[in-house]
Amino acid sequence: MPDAYLVGAGQSDYGAFPDESYRSLFRTAFEAAAESVPEGFDKDAVDEAFIGTLGVGGRQLGLSGPAVTEHVGLDGVPCTRVENACAASGFAVRQAVQAVKSGMADVVLAGGFEVMSDMSSDATKYWLGVSGETEWERLSGTTFSGVYAQMASAHMDRYGTTGEQLSRVAVKNHANGAKNPHAQLGFECSLDDAQSAPMVADPLNLYHCCPTSDGAACALVVSEAVVDDYTDDPIRVAGVGAGSDNVGLFDRETYTAVPASQRAAERAYEMAGIEPTDLDFAEVHDCFAIAELLAYEDLGFCERGESGSFIESGATELDGELPVNTSGGLKSKGHPIGATGAGQVVEAFKQLSGKAGDRQVDSPHRGLTHNVGGSGGAAIVHVFEKEQEVSAP
């Protein structure tokens, strides 16, 4: 099966932008992705596009993919909207990889967008809630912060995880986000700040929860037949894995793991032929602080129940053995639902290209992105690696 390569990626700023539309945000991301391609990029080369969005607020629910691709001049390019809640554009990237590896396309655009800041808090909660189990969770009043609070409480009860360990996720990710010019909450916070914030859903406080965001992100995936036209320093999509599970948390066998993430990671590692210890950095889905700790365990970064001590060890710091969420993660960078997965790929591209600025990891060779839909109804994992240079004999 032919290889697929990531040759460009870009995003808009994440935040609240009353003067922007979903189309203008997408244009910013698309142009940034095109400009990031080392040897230049002609949009006329795009064979297909996959666009992730939940459609928050009800704007352009139908044909929202073509609505943004035609706006950037991809007239006539086949476009498919992908919806998998917060994992929408992560799965859009997977669709792009599949299109290239199948031989049906040589150049594919994968991206996503969302506008979330122009509604009341009640309306925002409604649109976030549609990705939960609608009969027994959402309509009974359960919010996503409430669902993840149940997961956090269960993990604390079973493994002794502490509120301070949850807060360390926020401190680390804000420190990284402060170095990211695209971050919505691009400021540092102290451990005291993160521990003393107002409670949202016990045991999760405000600093344990990501913001709602406007934003867009794009990635350009090409086949091995044309990759040399775009770069002489290729980044290969080494592994892809996806998983699904019951949408409702109450329907699952465990509250202290996300089985869809485990399945996705196992498949991605198998395809890439690697172990978690072979990674140099990772972008994981930290919609809530407990989600990042669960990801450490689900992705095999540490043993089950040891994520609290793992973050305390400093292993996931920018200068640690496995930096996690160098972008600032959802917590600091932001979480425009449909753009989040593609936005993680943007960070992977920057790190592997050596263009991550003050948050650059030292000489990375391989990185992972992990994107979750809802509270774990869907998950997608990608492994990206720089092609090894072959030394002259």
Side-chain angles (χ1 to χ4, degrees), residues 39 103 247 257 322:
E39 301 298 327
V247 174
L322 181 60

Side-chain angles (χ1 to χ4, degrees), residues 4 40 168 173 210 246 333:
R168 287 184 180 276
N173 291 351
C210 74
N246 295 318
K333 181 183 176 183

Side-chain angles (χ1 to χ4, degrees), residues 151-221:
M151 299 165 83
S153 294
H155 204 273
M156 293 168 121
D157 290 344
R158 182 168 183 178
Y159 298 115
T161 307
T162 67
E164 178 178 325
Q165 290 167 341
L166 291 173
S167 293
R168 287 184 180 276
V169 173
V171 173
K172 171 182 67 70
N173 291 351
H174 272 279
N176 293 343
K179 298 178 175 67
N180 187 347
H182 294 299
Q184 178 174 2
L185 304 179
F187 54 83
E188 296 186 7
C189 72
S190 68
L191 185 58
D192 182 63
D193 291 334
Q195 288 186 281
S196 60
M199 195 63 66
V200 174
D202 194 12
L204 301 179
N205 68 35
L206 186 64
Y207 268 90
H208 300 153
C209 308
C210 74
T212 54
S213 315
D214 304 339
C218 289
L220 296 166
V221 179

Side-chain angles (χ1 to χ4, degrees), residues 12-17 20-23 25-26 51-61 64 68 81-89 111-119 127-128 131 212-217 335-340:
S12 70
D13 291 344
Y14 287 179
F17 307 112
E20 300 280 359
S21 70
Y22 69 95
R23 285 186 169 102
L25 289 167
F26 189 84
I51 307 300
T53 182
L54 179 62
V56 171
R59 60 179 59 75
Q60 196 58 48
L61 278 178
S64 53
V68 293
R81 173 191 172 183
V82 179
E83 188 283 299
N84 238 352
C86 312
S89 61
F113 66 87
E114 215 72 68
V115 173
M116 305 177 68
S117 69
D118 60 349
M119 295 179 294
W127 280 100
L128 288 170
S131 298
T212 54
S213 315
D214 304 339
H335 183 28
I337 291 177
T340 292

